[in-house]
Amino acid sequence: DGAGMIGGLAFSYVASPHFDGRVKEFRLFADVINDVGMTLDMLAPHFGREWVLTVTALATVCKVSCGIAAGATKGSITK
């Protein structure tokens, strides 16, 4: 949870100035990064005990980034 919060804050800090000008790109990014996050979640048990936590935290950051990008671009698409 902590990795998701910190990752989400970092992503929104870096990407927020570009949300309005690049709506379609961020929507595509949200779809792709969500797929990456879900894939990492499914593959995490196969990485071994020493890497499960790291891979799961990275998957959480991917899914949080998806939520931020999709939510930020949703308003521009529906107008």
Side-chain angles (χ1 to χ4, degrees):
D1 287 338
M5 289 181 195
I6 293 170
L9 287 172
F11 175 72
S12 63
Y13 178 77
V14 171
S16 63
H18 309 287
F19 282 144
D20 287 335
R22 299 179 177 173
V23 175
K24 291 180 183 177
E25 289 90 346
F26 274 106
R27 193 62 192 185
L28 177 64
F29 170 78
D31 290 339
V32 170
I33 205 71
N34 188 41
D35 292 342
V36 170
M38 287 193 296
T39 302
L40 286 173
D41 256 348
M42 289 186 287
L43 293 177
H46 299 289
F47 280 95
R49 284 187 174 275
E50 60 275 353
W51 290 101
V52 169
L53 184 61
T54 304
V55 173
T56 304
L58 185 60
T60 301
V61 170
C62 289
K63 290 188 279 186
V64 167
S65 298
C66 166
I68 292 170
T73 58
K74 185 178 181 182
S76 297
I77 290 174
T78 58
K79 281 186 179 180

